[in-house]
Amino acid sequence: VAECLESLICGGPQNLYEALQLIYLYFVFGEHIDRFQVRSLGNLDRILGPFYLRDLAEGRYTEKQVRELLAYFLMQWASIDNYWGHPFYLGGTEADGESGINELSYLILDVYDQLDIPTPKIQLKISSNTPTAFIDKALDMIRRGHNSIVFLGEPGIRRALFGLGCTDEEVRDCAISGCYE
């Protein structure tokens, strides 16, 4: 932990563990020091994806170790048990029109499923390009009682934000905050 914090003092995260730690620190500082409600942990599969792939390629972590890191990270919110259930989201559409669902998206759902926890909430940004296998996996989790999953229609988000004058990039990268906003 000390090595991670020392690294973060000097700059941005260099690996998955540091990125997860920074997300957690931002939450703690915002919620408990600044007294500002942090309403989303962000688009975790897209934010953490590059760290995940680099860590695997460089042999820093195995998939099993990544699963352990993610489990530890998710359990931080399960143990805090905030009454608003701190969400994060997965998916969305990339600039090239392809789905943002990636290998890490599935891995995050796997870990969440195995933990069988009600919080944090998972919001899934769904569009016509979202892989059916991913939607089926989430629906199966819900059928088995893992129902802190929210489906958000990306086409509706696009229409609403375009109506406010947002650019395509702003719409694509918009943060989903709160329980269902």
Side-chain angles (χ1 to χ4, degrees):
V1 172
E3 186 179 313
C4 172
L5 295 175
E6 184 67 37
S7 177
L8 290 174
I9 286 171
C10 298
Q14 300 301 305
N15 58 55
L16 182 65
Y17 175 69
E18 290 179 6
L20 289 168
Q21 187 73 2
L22 184 59
I23 291 168
Y24 182 73
L25 289 170
Y26 179 82
F27 165 79
V28 169
F29 293 152
E31 289 276 338
H32 303 289
I33 295 174
D34 288 343
R35 311 292 289 164
F36 179 77
Q37 196 174 37
V38 179
R39 295 300 292 138
S40 178
L41 304 177
N43 189 189
L44 292 189
D45 52 355
R46 291 166 77 188
I47 291 169
L48 299 173
F51 296 106
Y52 167 71
L53 293 174
R54 186 170 53 241
D55 285 350
L56 288 181
E58 293 176 2
R60 185 172 295 111
Y61 299 117
T62 64
E63 183 182 311
K64 182 179 182 218
Q65 290 170 318
V66 168
R67 286 175 179 275
E68 291 170 359
L69 284 173
L70 290 171
Y72 178 78
F73 176 77
L74 291 173
M75 287 304 295
Q76 297 306 304
W77 276 270
S79 65
I80 292 169
D81 196 24
N82 287 338
Y83 63 89
W84 48 82
H86 267 82
F88 65 88
Y89 72 100
L90 303 173
T93 299
E94 301 288 353
D96 63 3
E98 295 295 318
S99 174
I101 299 297
N102 57 45
E103 181 181 330
L104 187 57
S105 310
Y106 287 94
L107 197 129
I108 290 169
L109 278 188
D110 279 347
V111 171
Y112 190 85
D113 190 21
Q114 290 167 354
L115 292 173
D116 191 17
I117 54 177
T119 185
K121 293 176 184 150
I122 300 179
Q123 301 162 322
L124 304 177
K125 209 174 189 186
I126 303 296
S127 193
S128 60
N129 61 15
T130 305
T132 303
F134 186 77
I135 295 170
D136 288 346
K137 181 173 189 53
L139 290 172
D140 178 60
M141 289 170 65
I142 292 168
R143 275 190 291 275
R144 291 182 288 107
H146 299 194
N147 51 8
S148 286
I149 296 175
V150 177
F151 293 88
L152 301 154
E154 192 173 34
I157 293 170
R158 293 181 68 74
R159 280 191 304 278
L161 292 180
F162 278 147
L164 294 173
C166 294
T167 67
D168 189 54
E169 182 179 3
E170 290 169 327
V171 169
R172 212 176 34 257
D173 294 338
C174 74
I176 299 169
S177 66
C179 297
Y180 304 102
E181 293 88 11

